Amino acid sequence: MKMELVTMDINDVVEKYKIREDHGDLTPLERSIEELGLIFPIIINQDNCLISGSRRLAACKNIGRTQLNALRIEVDEDSMLALDIRTGENLCRKALTSTELEREIELKKRALKDGSPGVINKLKSFFGNEQD
């Protein structure tokens, strides 16, 4: 399957199917995108049909983004592969345990104390700077 990372106009994304009836509270996601950028791109097909990332897309629209990064893959939006990607991103997640969350908080405290730029800046430079 061919894949490429593209920067595109947010209005060129076509939402044909939505897995969620309600996006829920997008405020934390909007704040994260404003502060850090869109770390994980949405997934679209060759026709710019959204395969995955409806909440990320909605959050970007809500905060006034005009462009965003997308991972473009060659797949028919009605195919089993597209359905697997769409549902997999939503079902294959595991919440952090309280111990894991505490460890992350401690690491963030240390990074703040040390003045370390952290992994987020490394990810942002890997994906490149996004346009507003």
Side-chain angles (χ1 to χ4, degrees):
M1 168 176 37
K2 182 179 173 189
M3 293 187 238
E4 68 176 324
L5 187 63
V6 297
T7 300
M8 62 183 300
D9 186 303
I10 200 166
N11 294 317
D12 289 341
V13 178
V14 179
E15 274 191 280
K16 228 176 169 181
Y17 304 106
K18 293 184 181 183
I19 192 169
R20 296 188 184 274
E21 293 178 8
D22 178 13
H23 283 130
D25 181 12
L26 293 175
T27 306
L29 182 56
E30 293 164 355
R31 278 194 219 124
S32 173
I33 293 170
E34 284 179 320
E35 182 181 327
L36 305 170
L38 185 62
I39 301 299
F40 297 102
I42 63 169
I43 300 174
I44 59 171
N45 75 354
Q46 64 278 0
D47 299 319
N48 293 338
C49 288
L50 185 69
I51 303 299
S52 183
S54 182
R55 293 184 83 244
R56 285 169 277 169
L57 178 63
C60 286
K61 286 180 177 180
N62 289 350
I63 62 173
R65 290 254 173 156
T66 58
Q67 292 190 316
L68 76 165
N69 285 341
L71 181 62
R72 179 175 286 142
I73 61 174
E74 286 187 23
V75 64
D76 181 59
E77 67 268 12
D78 297 322
S79 71
M80 185 58 75
L81 178 57
L83 292 168
D84 285 346
I85 292 168
R86 187 178 300 124
T87 55
E89 267 206 3
N90 287 283
L91 298 176
C92 297
R93 295 182 184 158
K94 181 178 182 282
L96 293 175
T97 65
S98 58
T99 304
E100 293 165 339
L101 186 56
E102 287 174 20
R103 185 174 56 236
E104 287 300 304
I105 291 169
E106 285 304 313
L107 289 171
K108 285 186 174 203
K109 286 179 184 176
R110 260 190 260 154
L112 284 172
K113 181 180 172 188
D114 297 342
S116 170
V119 72
I120 296 301
N121 286 336
K122 290 178 186 175
L123 282 171
K124 285 174 80 173
S125 28
F126 174 76
F127 284 114
N129 292 332
E130 292 184 49
Q131 304 294 317
D132 288 337

